[in-house]
Every structure is written in C-alpha cells, then in structure tokens.
Amino acid sequence: AQSVTQPDIHITVSEGASLELRCNYSYGATPYLFWYVQSPGQGLQLLLKYFSGDTLVQGIKGFEAEFKRSQSSFNLRKPSVHWSDAAEYFCAVASGDNYGQNFVFGPGTRLSVLP
Amino acid sequence: GAVVSQHPSWVICKSGTSVKIECRSLDFQATTMFWYRQFPKQSLMLMATSNEGSKATYEQGVEKDKFLINHASLTLSTLTVTSAHPEDSSFYICSARGRNTIYFGEGSWLTVV
C-alpha cells in the first residue's frame, strides 16, 4: 500500500523568502502525485499534480514541484512566499486508473509566514 | 470557481438526531465520489467511496449504518450521519474524480451538541 510522509509538521518563513515543503512517498509503481492547500476551516485547493512526463510541474499561485523517482520525493517549492500562502499543505499519492479510491494524504505541513 | 460544492458548510445538531450533507459536482458527472473526515490539526481520512447507482464502499472501521451514503445521480452524493453523537463532530469533505484530477468540496463542519 502506498504511504506519504511530510517530515516537517510546521514551517515558518519570512515573507519574500523561498520555500520548500518536503514530501516522500512509498509506492511500487509510478504514482500520481498531488499537492493541495487548505486554509483554516476550508476545503482543499489543488496546487499542482504529476501524472507523467516532465518531472518539474508548475502549479497555481507560483508553486512548482519536482518529482524525483530516485528519492521517492515530490517537494513543493516557491521562490518568494507571500503572507497569503500561510495555510496547511498536503501532499497526496494515488495509484492507477482508480486513483480516487487509492488516494492517500500525508499528515500535512503547516506554513506560517512572518511579515 | 468551485467545481465540487458541499452543503451545508456549517451545521449544528442535537445529539441523537441525523444530519445530511450534500456533495455536488457542478459541471461534470462523477460516477465516483469520496467522503473524508478530518479532525482538527490532522490529515484527511477516507471514510467511504460513493458509487453512483450502487452501494458505497466503506473503509475499515467506518460504521456503514451510522454514516449512510447515497449516490442517487451522477452529480450528487449525500452523507447522512445518523444518531449523531458529540464524537461525530468533525470536518467532513467530499471529493469527486473528474478531468484527470480529484476536486474537493469546501467541506462541512458538523458540531453535535
């Protein structure tokens, strides 16, 4: 069964600084990988996803992520963080065509942004 | 805008009563929808998979008689929490598969008093 780890529970960065959120997965085949963001009390918004092809994926709000098969990682990056980026970030992995049912979330990383 | 909508966003009910939460795909048909539960400061846990026209598939440990799921049409799935107890208070989120990705609803806060 697939699993996802997000080693950092909470990260604090200053506004304008760069950001990298780590995500490692465990899955035997090529996974489908996702990053979602959740603001307090709200649902999840898809930032980006990787299915195949170019391993560097561009998403919304200036985010990007890079799939590294050798490291089983899918880290999320942003060159310059804005105060509005403060939220909870979830990495998720799915498998196969039935990727909805096999959707596994990581524990999440809470991002705080200092002014 | 949202492609998956949940209603209500917030609901308070008395212990012992039942409450229904709706999940709608707004501009696509979803033969499969998913229901998650999220406790404060925790990740999402899949409760069940809702299949249009057939019975839902529940994850291990989820009481199917307590969390009734109905997927009566290609755009609507409902989750009914029956005989609600305070420990059922949580954030419930649905998702639907469409256009090569998973879209999530805005979530529904349930408070049982």
Side-chain angles (χ1 to χ4, degrees), chain B residues 66-106:
Chain B
K66 180 169 186 61
F67 298 100
L68 300 179
I69 291 173
N70 184 275
H71 196 149
S73 77
L74 287 171
T75 59
L76 174 64
S77 175
T78 60
L79 169 68
T80 301
V81 183
T82 63
S83 187
H85 291 148
E87 56 264 32
D88 297 326
S89 299
S90 187
F91 190 51
Y92 293 88
I93 307 178
C94 72
S95 70
R97 191 175 77 179
R99 292 186 229 132
N100 289 328
T101 194
I102 301 289
Y103 296 98
F104 284 84
E106 308 96 327

mmCIF file of all heavy atoms in Angstrom, chain B residues 66-106:
data_model
loop_
_atom_site.group_PDB
_atom_site.id
_atom_site.type_symbol
_atom_site.label_atom_id
_atom_site.label_comp_id
_atom_site.label_asym_id
_atom_site.label_seq_id
_atom_site.Cartn_x
_atom_site.Cartn_y
_atom_site.Cartn_z
ATOM 1 N N LYS B 66 -24.048 3.938 10.447
ATOM 2 C CA LYS B 66 -24.046 5.259 11.062
ATOM 3 C C LYS B 66 -23.833 6.351 10.009
ATOM 4 O O LYS B 66 -24.414 7.421 10.081
ATOM 5 C CB LYS B 66 -22.946 5.353 12.110
ATOM 6 C CG LYS B 66 -22.887 6.705 12.796
ATOM 7 C CD LYS B 66 -21.976 6.664 13.982
ATOM 8 C CE LYS B 66 -22.065 7.979 14.732
ATOM 9 N NZ LYS B 66 -23.435 8.231 15.221
ATOM 10 N N PHE B 67 -22.998 6.078 9.068
ATOM 11 C CA PHE B 67 -22.681 7.039 8.011
ATOM 12 C C PHE B 67 -23.278 6.509 6.707
ATOM 13 O O PHE B 67 -22.646 5.763 5.967
ATOM 14 C CB PHE B 67 -21.177 7.227 7.893
ATOM 15 C CG PHE B 67 -20.533 7.778 9.126
ATOM 16 C CD1 PHE B 67 -19.877 6.941 10.027
ATOM 17 C CD2 PHE B 67 -20.584 9.139 9.405
ATOM 18 C CE1 PHE B 67 -19.280 7.450 11.175
ATOM 19 C CE2 PHE B 67 -19.991 9.655 10.551
ATOM 20 C CZ PHE B 67 -19.339 8.809 11.441
ATOM 21 N N LEU B 68 -24.508 6.916 6.450
ATOM 22 C CA LEU B 68 -25.223 6.443 5.278
ATOM 23 C C LEU B 68 -24.857 7.281 4.065
ATOM 24 O O LEU B 68 -24.928 8.511 4.101
ATOM 25 C CB LEU B 68 -26.739 6.510 5.518
ATOM 26 C CG LEU B 68 -27.270 5.675 6.692
ATOM 27 C CD1 LEU B 68 -28.773 5.855 6.813
ATOM 28 C CD2 LEU B 68 -26.908 4.219 6.541
ATOM 29 N N ILE B 69 -24.488 6.614 3.005
ATOM 30 C CA ILE B 69 -24.092 7.315 1.786
ATOM 31 C C ILE B 69 -25.020 6.907 0.666
ATOM 32 O O ILE B 69 -25.275 5.726 0.449
ATOM 33 C CB ILE B 69 -22.634 7.003 1.430
ATOM 34 C CG1 ILE B 69 -21.714 7.645 2.464
ATOM 35 C CG2 ILE B 69 -22.292 7.495 0.027
ATOM 36 C CD1 ILE B 69 -20.260 7.265 2.319
ATOM 37 N N ASN B 70 -25.511 7.913 -0.037
ATOM 38 C CA ASN B 70 -26.372 7.690 -1.177
ATOM 39 C C ASN B 70 -25.846 8.477 -2.363
ATOM 40 O O ASN B 70 -25.543 9.665 -2.254
ATOM 41 C CB ASN B 70 -27.807 8.129 -0.841
ATOM 42 C CG ASN B 70 -28.754 7.820 -1.975
ATOM 43 O OD1 ASN B 70 -28.894 8.600 -2.910
ATOM 44 N ND2 ASN B 70 -29.400 6.678 -1.906
ATOM 45 N N HIS B 71 -25.741 7.805 -3.502
ATOM 46 C CA HIS B 71 -25.217 8.462 -4.712
ATOM 47 C C HIS B 71 -26.273 8.268 -5.784
ATOM 48 O O HIS B 71 -26.134 7.422 -6.668
ATOM 49 C CB HIS B 71 -23.893 7.810 -5.089
ATOM 50 C CG HIS B 71 -23.075 8.607 -6.057
ATOM 51 N ND1 HIS B 71 -21.698 8.570 -6.063
ATOM 52 C CD2 HIS B 71 -23.422 9.455 -7.048
ATOM 53 C CE1 HIS B 71 -21.247 9.345 -7.012
ATOM 54 N NE2 HIS B 71 -22.263 9.895 -7.623
ATOM 55 N N ALA B 72 -27.322 9.062 -5.688
ATOM 56 C CA ALA B 72 -28.515 8.834 -6.497
ATOM 57 C C ALA B 72 -28.385 9.330 -7.932
ATOM 58 O O ALA B 72 -29.126 8.893 -8.809
ATOM 59 C CB ALA B 72 -29.718 9.494 -5.833
ATOM 60 N N SER B 73 -27.472 10.251 -8.160
ATOM 61 C CA SER B 73 -27.316 10.767 -9.518
ATOM 62 C C SER B 73 -25.840 10.968 -9.806
ATOM 63 O O SER B 73 -24.997 10.839 -8.916
ATOM 64 C CB SER B 73 -28.067 12.082 -9.683
ATOM 65 O OG SER B 73 -27.342 13.148 -9.089
ATOM 66 N N LEU B 74 -25.544 11.315 -11.037
ATOM 67 C CA LEU B 74 -24.141 11.467 -11.432
ATOM 68 C C LEU B 74 -23.510 12.755 -10.918
ATOM 69 O O LEU B 74 -22.321 12.977 -11.106
ATOM 70 C CB LEU B 74 -24.028 11.421 -12.964
ATOM 71 C CG LEU B 74 -24.230 10.042 -13.575
ATOM 72 C CD1 LEU B 74 -24.327 10.156 -15.098
ATOM 73 C CD2 LEU B 74 -23.115 9.099 -13.189
ATOM 74 N N THR B 75 -24.310 13.587 -10.274
ATOM 75 C CA THR B 75 -23.765 14.841 -9.761
ATOM 76 C C THR B 75 -24.019 15.045 -8.277
ATOM 77 O O THR B 75 -23.678 16.093 -7.736
ATOM 78 C CB THR B 75 -24.354 16.045 -10.526
ATOM 79 O OG1 THR B 75 -25.776 16.030 -10.366
ATOM 80 C CG2 THR B 75 -24.005 15.994 -12.006
ATOM 81 N N LEU B 76 -24.582 14.059 -7.616
ATOM 82 C CA LEU B 76 -24.924 14.265 -6.209
ATOM 83 C C LEU B 76 -24.667 13.020 -5.386
ATOM 84 O O LEU B 76 -25.115 11.923 -5.705
ATOM 85 C CB LEU B 76 -26.398 14.652 -6.071
ATOM 86 C CG LEU B 76 -26.946 14.753 -4.639
ATOM 87 C CD1 LEU B 76 -26.247 15.878 -3.879
ATOM 88 C CD2 LEU B 76 -28.455 14.976 -4.669
ATOM 89 N N SER B 77 -23.936 13.211 -4.301
ATOM 90 C CA SER B 77 -23.769 12.181 -3.278
ATOM 91 C C SER B 77 -24.115 12.812 -1.939
ATOM 92 O O SER B 77 -23.814 13.983 -1.705
ATOM 93 C CB SER B 77 -22.333 11.664 -3.244
ATOM 94 O OG SER B 77 -22.145 10.751 -2.173
ATOM 95 N N THR B 78 -24.765 12.046 -1.087
ATOM 96 C CA THR B 78 -25.106 12.562 0.236
ATOM 97 C C THR B 78 -24.544 11.656 1.320
ATOM 98 O O THR B 78 -24.473 10.435 1.168
ATOM 99 C CB THR B 78 -26.627 12.683 0.428
ATOM 100 O OG1 THR B 78 -27.218 11.385 0.285
ATOM 101 C CG2 THR B 78 -27.230 13.635 -0.584
ATOM 102 N N LEU B 79 -24.134 12.294 2.397
ATOM 103 C CA LEU B 79 -23.665 11.596 3.588
ATOM 104 C C LEU B 79 -24.612 11.951 4.719
ATOM 105 O O LEU B 79 -24.790 13.138 5.030
ATOM 106 C CB LEU B 79 -22.253 12.034 3.941
ATOM 107 C CG LEU B 79 -21.715 11.587 5.319
ATOM 108 C CD1 LEU B 79 -21.520 10.080 5.362
ATOM 109 C CD2 LEU B 79 -20.397 12.306 5.643
ATOM 110 N N THR B 80 -25.244 10.940 5.296
ATOM 111 C CA THR B 80 -26.131 11.171 6.432
ATOM 112 C C THR B 80 -25.510 10.575 7.685
ATOM 113 O O THR B 80 -25.237 9.368 7.718
ATOM 114 C CB THR B 80 -27.523 10.552 6.188
ATOM 115 O OG1 THR B 80 -28.101 11.115 5.008
ATOM 116 C CG2 THR B 80 -28.442 10.829 7.373
ATOM 117 N N VAL B 81 -25.285 11.429 8.654
ATOM 118 C CA VAL B 81 -24.775 10.969 9.948
ATOM 119 C C VAL B 81 -25.996 10.688 10.813
ATOM 120 O O VAL B 81 -26.744 11.609 11.167
ATOM 121 C CB VAL B 81 -23.870 12.024 10.598
ATOM 122 C CG1 VAL B 81 -23.298 11.488 11.920
ATOM 123 C CG2 VAL B 81 -22.742 12.421 9.656
ATOM 124 N N THR B 82 -26.217 9.431 11.118
ATOM 125 C CA THR B 82 -27.410 9.053 11.866
ATOM 126 C C THR B 82 -27.114 8.972 13.363
ATOM 127 O O THR B 82 -25.986 8.645 13.766
ATOM 128 C CB THR B 82 -27.940 7.702 11.388
ATOM 129 O OG1 THR B 82 -26.949 6.697 11.650
ATOM 130 C CG2 THR B 82 -28.238 7.723 9.897
ATOM 131 N N SER B 83 -28.119 9.305 14.152
ATOM 132 C CA SER B 83 -27.978 9.250 15.609
ATOM 133 C C SER B 83 -26.647 9.872 16.037
ATOM 134 O O SER B 83 -25.793 9.217 16.667
ATOM 135 C CB SER B 83 -28.082 7.803 16.084
ATOM 136 O OG SER B 83 -28.107 7.740 17.497
ATOM 137 N N ALA B 84 -26.502 11.104 15.665
ATOM 138 C CA ALA B 84 -25.210 11.776 15.864
ATOM 139 C C ALA B 84 -24.854 11.903 17.342
ATOM 140 O O ALA B 84 -25.726 12.141 18.196
ATOM 141 C CB ALA B 84 -25.241 13.149 15.207
ATOM 142 N N HIS B 85 -23.594 11.758 17.623
ATOM 143 C CA HIS B 85 -23.051 11.939 18.966
ATOM 144 C C HIS B 85 -21.989 13.024 18.927
ATOM 145 O O HIS B 85 -21.429 13.305 17.856
ATOM 146 C CB HIS B 85 -22.440 10.641 19.483
ATOM 147 C CG HIS B 85 -23.444 9.590 19.763
ATOM 148 N ND1 HIS B 85 -23.187 8.243 19.621
ATOM 149 C CD2 HIS B 85 -24.726 9.672 20.196
ATOM 150 C CE1 HIS B 85 -24.252 7.558 19.941
ATOM 151 N NE2 HIS B 85 -25.203 8.400 20.297
ATOM 152 N N PRO B 86 -21.673 13.609 20.052
ATOM 153 C CA PRO B 86 -20.637 14.654 20.051
ATOM 154 C C PRO B 86 -19.317 14.214 19.426
ATOM 155 O O PRO B 86 -18.636 15.030 18.792
ATOM 156 C CB PRO B 86 -20.482 14.969 21.544
ATOM 157 C CG PRO B 86 -21.832 14.706 22.114
ATOM 158 C CD PRO B 86 -22.354 13.513 21.348
ATOM 159 N N GLU B 87 -18.974 12.954 19.565
ATOM 160 C CA GLU B 87 -17.708 12.490 18.967
ATOM 161 C C GLU B 87 -17.740 12.443 17.443
ATOM 162 O O GLU B 87 -16.708 12.249 16.795
ATOM 163 C CB GLU B 87 -17.309 11.118 19.511
ATOM 164 C CG GLU B 87 -18.342 10.039 19.331
ATOM 165 C CD GLU B 87 -19.207 9.868 20.558
ATOM 166 O OE1 GLU B 87 -19.460 10.874 21.267
ATOM 167 O OE2 GLU B 87 -19.643 8.734 20.807
ATOM 168 N N ASP B 88 -18.948 12.621 16.872
ATOM 169 C CA ASP B 88 -19.051 12.708 15.409
ATOM 170 C C ASP B 88 -18.737 14.112 14.915
ATOM 171 O O ASP B 88 -18.635 14.326 13.691
ATOM 172 C CB ASP B 88 -20.459 12.322 14.946
ATOM 173 C CG ASP B 88 -20.799 10.884 15.286
ATOM 174 O OD1 ASP B 88 -19.879 10.033 15.250
ATOM 175 O OD2 ASP B 88 -21.976 10.602 15.593
ATOM 176 N N SER B 89 -18.598 15.048 15.832
ATOM 177 C CA SER B 89 -18.252 16.408 15.431
ATOM 178 C C SER B 89 -16.912 16.394 14.713
ATOM 179 O O SER B 89 -15.913 15.883 15.224
ATOM 180 C CB SER B 89 -18.168 17.307 16.668
ATOM 181 O OG SER B 89 -19.409 17.352 17.351
ATOM 182 N N SER B 90 -16.915 16.963 13.535
ATOM 183 C CA SER B 90 -15.713 16.898 12.713
ATOM 184 C C SER B 90 -15.918 17.737 11.463
ATOM 185 O O SER B 90 -16.977 18.322 11.250
ATOM 186 C CB SER B 90 -15.417 15.446 12.329
ATOM 187 O OG SER B 90 -14.175 15.319 11.669
ATOM 188 N N PHE B 91 -14.893 17.772 10.637
ATOM 189 C CA PHE B 91 -14.946 18.420 9.335
ATOM 190 C C PHE B 91 -15.054 17.320 8.297
ATOM 191 O O PHE B 91 -14.197 16.436 8.231
ATOM 192 C CB PHE B 91 -13.671 19.251 9.141
ATOM 193 C CG PHE B 91 -13.677 20.169 7.952
ATOM 194 C CD1 PHE B 91 -14.736 21.041 7.737
ATOM 195 C CD2 PHE B 91 -12.612 20.192 7.066
ATOM 196 C CE1 PHE B 91 -14.739 21.916 6.660
ATOM 197 C CE2 PHE B 91 -12.607 21.064 5.983
ATOM 198 C CZ PHE B 91 -13.668 21.922 5.778
ATOM 199 N N TYR B 92 -16.117 17.344 7.524
ATOM 200 C CA TYR B 92 -16.342 16.316 6.522
ATOM 201 C C TYR B 92 -16.130 16.929 5.133
ATOM 202 O O TYR B 92 -16.705 17.976 4.814
ATOM 203 C CB TYR B 92 -17.752 15.745 6.636
ATOM 204 C CG TYR B 92 -17.956 14.963 7.917
ATOM 205 C CD1 TYR B 92 -18.368 15.613 9.088
ATOM 206 C CD2 TYR B 92 -17.729 13.598 7.974
ATOM 207 C CE1 TYR B 92 -18.541 14.902 10.267
ATOM 208 C CE2 TYR B 92 -17.901 12.884 9.146
ATOM 209 C CZ TYR B 92 -18.302 13.549 10.298
ATOM 210 O OH TYR B 92 -18.472 12.848 11.467
ATOM 211 N N ILE B 93 -15.330 16.266 4.330
ATOM 212 C CA ILE B 93 -15.021 16.775 2.987
ATOM 213 C C ILE B 93 -15.307 15.696 1.960
ATOM 214 O O ILE B 93 -14.983 14.527 2.170
ATOM 215 C CB ILE B 93 -13.541 17.185 2.853
ATOM 216 C CG1 ILE B 93 -13.138 18.148 3.952
ATOM 217 C CG2 ILE B 93 -13.275 17.822 1.495
ATOM 218 C CD1 ILE B 93 -11.665 18.536 3.877
ATOM 219 N N CYS B 94 -15.895 16.110 0.858
ATOM 220 C CA CYS B 94 -16.118 15.168 -0.226
ATOM 221 C C CYS B 94 -15.197 15.513 -1.387
ATOM 222 O O CYS B 94 -14.663 16.623 -1.465
ATOM 223 C CB CYS B 94 -17.565 15.180 -0.679
ATOM 224 S SG CYS B 94 -18.035 16.666 -1.588
ATOM 225 N N SER B 95 -15.014 14.576 -2.254
ATOM 226 C CA SER B 95 -14.252 14.824 -3.473
ATOM 227 C C SER B 95 -14.869 14.037 -4.603
ATOM 228 O O SER B 95 -15.621 13.076 -4.389
ATOM 229 C CB SER B 95 -12.776 14.451 -3.299
ATOM 230 O OG SER B 95 -12.615 13.050 -3.211
ATOM 231 N N ALA B 96 -14.564 14.466 -5.803
ATOM 232 C CA ALA B 96 -15.065 13.786 -6.981
ATOM 233 C C ALA B 96 -13.958 13.733 -8.017
ATOM 234 O O ALA B 96 -13.151 14.668 -8.136
ATOM 235 C CB ALA B 96 -16.285 14.522 -7.539
ATOM 236 N N ARG B 97 -13.958 12.659 -8.748
ATOM 237 C CA ARG B 97 -12.940 12.489 -9.771
ATOM 238 C C ARG B 97 -13.483 12.989 -11.102
ATOM 239 O O ARG B 97 -14.540 12.568 -11.546
ATOM 240 C CB ARG B 97 -12.539 11.023 -9.891
ATOM 241 C CG ARG B 97 -11.307 10.790 -10.735
ATOM 242 C CD ARG B 97 -10.892 9.343 -10.703
ATOM 243 N NE ARG B 97 -11.726 8.509 -11.548
ATOM 244 C CZ ARG B 97 -11.548 7.200 -11.708
ATOM 245 N NH1 ARG B 97 -10.589 6.600 -11.048
ATOM 246 N NH2 ARG B 97 -12.332 6.511 -12.492
ATOM 247 N N GLY B 98 -12.730 13.899 -11.701
ATOM 248 C CA GLY B 98 -13.154 14.407 -12.994
ATOM 249 C C GLY B 98 -12.006 15.099 -13.700
ATOM 250 O O GLY B 98 -11.143 15.679 -13.048
ATOM 251 N N ARG B 99 -11.953 15.046 -14.976
ATOM 252 C CA ARG B 99 -10.950 15.732 -15.794
ATOM 253 C C ARG B 99 -9.541 15.435 -15.299
ATOM 254 O O ARG B 99 -8.726 16.329 -15.080
ATOM 255 C CB ARG B 99 -11.180 17.246 -15.800
ATOM 256 C CG ARG B 99 -12.434 17.649 -16.526
ATOM 257 C CD ARG B 99 -12.529 19.162 -16.616
ATOM 258 N NE ARG B 99 -13.839 19.611 -16.199
ATOM 259 C CZ ARG B 99 -14.056 20.609 -15.334
ATOM 260 N NH1 ARG B 99 -13.052 21.247 -14.803
ATOM 261 N NH2 ARG B 99 -15.268 20.946 -15.013
ATOM 262 N N ASN B 100 -9.255 14.165 -15.064
ATOM 263 C CA ASN B 100 -7.906 13.725 -14.701
ATOM 264 C C ASN B 100 -7.389 14.310 -13.408
ATOM 265 O O ASN B 100 -6.177 14.448 -13.229
ATOM 266 C CB ASN B 100 -6.912 14.034 -15.824
ATOM 267 C CG ASN B 100 -7.127 13.133 -17.014
ATOM 268 O OD1 ASN B 100 -7.536 11.991 -16.860
ATOM 269 N ND2 ASN B 100 -6.876 13.651 -18.193
ATOM 270 N N THR B 101 -8.270 14.680 -12.537
ATOM 271 C CA THR B 101 -7.809 15.065 -11.217
ATOM 272 C C THR B 101 -8.924 14.868 -10.209
ATOM 273 O O THR B 101 -10.027 14.476 -10.568
ATOM 274 C CB THR B 101 -7.291 16.510 -11.210
ATOM 275 O OG1 THR B 101 -6.554 16.737 -10.000
ATOM 276 C CG2 THR B 101 -8.438 17.507 -11.255
ATOM 277 N N ILE B 102 -8.599 15.109 -8.989
ATOM 278 C CA ILE B 102 -9.574 14.995 -7.908
ATOM 279 C C ILE B 102 -9.906 16.388 -7.424
ATOM 280 O O ILE B 102 -9.013 17.166 -7.063
ATOM 281 C CB ILE B 102 -9.006 14.167 -6.735
ATOM 282 C CG1 ILE B 102 -8.617 12.773 -7.195
ATOM 283 C CG2 ILE B 102 -10.005 14.114 -5.597
ATOM 284 C CD1 ILE B 102 -9.783 11.887 -7.517
ATOM 285 N N TYR B 103 -11.174 16.711 -7.413
ATOM 286 C CA TYR B 103 -11.607 18.006 -6.919
ATOM 287 C C TYR B 103 -12.289 17.819 -5.571
ATOM 288 O O TYR B 103 -13.084 16.902 -5.387
ATOM 289 C CB TYR B 103 -12.596 18.656 -7.894
ATOM 290 C CG TYR B 103 -11.990 18.982 -9.232
ATOM 291 C CD1 TYR B 103 -12.162 18.130 -10.318
ATOM 292 C CD2 TYR B 103 -11.236 20.136 -9.419
ATOM 293 C CE1 TYR B 103 -11.602 18.420 -11.556
ATOM 294 C CE2 TYR B 103 -10.681 20.432 -10.652
ATOM 295 C CZ TYR B 103 -10.860 19.569 -11.710
ATOM 296 O OH TYR B 103 -10.300 19.867 -12.921
ATOM 297 N N PHE B 104 -11.985 18.719 -4.651
ATOM 298 C CA PHE B 104 -12.550 18.632 -3.320
ATOM 299 C C PHE B 104 -13.603 19.707 -3.097
ATOM 300 O O PHE B 104 -13.519 20.813 -3.635
ATOM 301 C CB PHE B 104 -11.449 18.779 -2.264
ATOM 302 C CG PHE B 104 -10.608 17.548 -2.097
ATOM 303 C CD1 PHE B 104 -9.536 17.307 -2.946
ATOM 304 C CD2 PHE B 104 -10.910 16.620 -1.117
ATOM 305 C CE1 PHE B 104 -8.775 16.167 -2.810
ATOM 306 C CE2 PHE B 104 -10.141 15.470 -0.972
ATOM 307 C CZ PHE B 104 -9.072 15.250 -1.823
ATOM 308 N N GLY B 105 -14.582 19.349 -2.287
ATOM 309 C CA GLY B 105 -15.552 20.337 -1.870
ATOM 310 C C GLY B 105 -14.971 21.254 -0.820
ATOM 311 O O GLY B 105 -13.832 21.086 -0.376
ATOM 312 N N GLU B 106 -15.771 22.213 -0.416
ATOM 313 C CA GLU B 106 -15.305 23.195 0.552
ATOM 314 C C GLU B 106 -15.350 22.667 1.980
ATOM 315 O O GLU B 106 -14.837 23.292 2.903
ATOM 316 C CB GLU B 106 -16.158 24.477 0.478
ATOM 317 C CG GLU B 106 -16.286 25.064 -0.925
ATOM 318 C CD GLU B 106 -17.551 24.623 -1.604
ATOM 319 O OE1 GLU B 106 -18.008 23.472 -1.361
ATOM 320 O OE2 GLU B 106 -18.099 25.396 -2.389
#
